[in-house]
Amino acid sequence: MACFCVIFFFLLGSCALTNATDTETAILIVVDQSGMGDFQKIQDAIDAVPSNNSQLFYIQVNPGIYKEKILVPADKPFITLGGTNADNTIISWNDSSDIFQSPTFTVLASDFLGRQITIQNSYGSGAKAVALRVSGDRVRFSGCRILSHQDTLLDDTGRHYYTNCYIEGDVDFIFGNAASLYERCHLHSLSKENGAITAQSRGSAEEDTGFVFLGCKITGVNSGTALLGRPWGPYARVVFAYTYMSSVILPQGWDDWGDSSKQETTYLGQYRCYGPGAKTGRRVPWSHTLTAQEAEPFMSKDLIDGKTWIRSAPTKFRRFSYPNPAKIGGR
């Protein structure tokens, strides 16, 4: 087993909480399919946010099933998009093209917050069908449901924080090369045989990226049908800590994806996990069962520099005023 020091994991440069001038007050835009809001489509509301904005915008999405393919472009930071309940606020699309073209919802912007929404790719099994792609920095999802089968969540690049989210899929359904903390999330495997929950793609020892699952829960439809992960990149880094693992997890835990050289460079392991799938006695010998000292760098938001940028949803609102009323959709 390769000797590895984790003390430098996620040593990312500090940044200001946000460049927005006011982090409590947001301009409110309401999306309502019945025409009672400012727009009937979510994408129209996002398009209405000025480019290179420095003020928070809150897009309130009223209950409904929104059949849309959504893009939050890189020049529109500081957007919060929130529903009232993820069970009744659903964004759904059906696409099985490649991982960058198929996502139902793509975030390229920084300082984005998604709350209480369901993001779904309804294509089904048997092909790459991404529900959510996150390629912006300082992005948070809270209380969301992210649903597909293969490649559900492309956790691509940047620093990300997922809390109290439900993520469902069967093959490599959390994948990419972001620096991400998943806290109190529920991961549900739909795999029937040898599916993988994670496929992390860190490509070199110099990259401060990886996935940490802290206080999460893993369930599945069938016992002994899911791996904790396999390394997409040669230096893949994934840690599960204080996580309940049901019997869905295969005893070996991890797979080297047919490349034994990755056994020397990856860092895949667990710390104080519990449940029938958490037993380490039959894990692959190149995985890690962390000591308290080894686990310490993974136990807080410091690993994504979170204290400098993770923010709550705004609490004060001003209604959006339109320079041209003819641009208002759904009226």
Side-chain angles (χ1 to χ4, degrees), residues 29-46 59-68 70 90 322 327-331:
I29 301 176
V30 177
V31 179
D32 186 283
Q33 288 182 320
S34 69
M36 300 301 291
D38 300 306
F39 296 96
Q40 289 181 311
K41 294 184 177 180
I42 297 168
Q43 189 64 57
D44 288 343
I46 294 169
I59 299 175
Q60 175 185 313
V61 183
N62 287 346
I65 299 174
Y66 294 82
K67 298 285 189 178
E68 297 189 55
I70 303 296
I90 301 167
Y322 299 87
K327 293 184 178 180
I328 302 176
R331 289 189 175 181

Side-chain angles (χ1 to χ4, degrees), residues 114 129 255:
D255 179 79

Side-chain angles (χ1 to χ4, degrees), residues 7 20 69 96 107 258 304 310 318:
I7 193 68
K69 195 177 182 76
S96 63
V107 180
I304 52 170
I310 293 174
R318 293 190 296 110

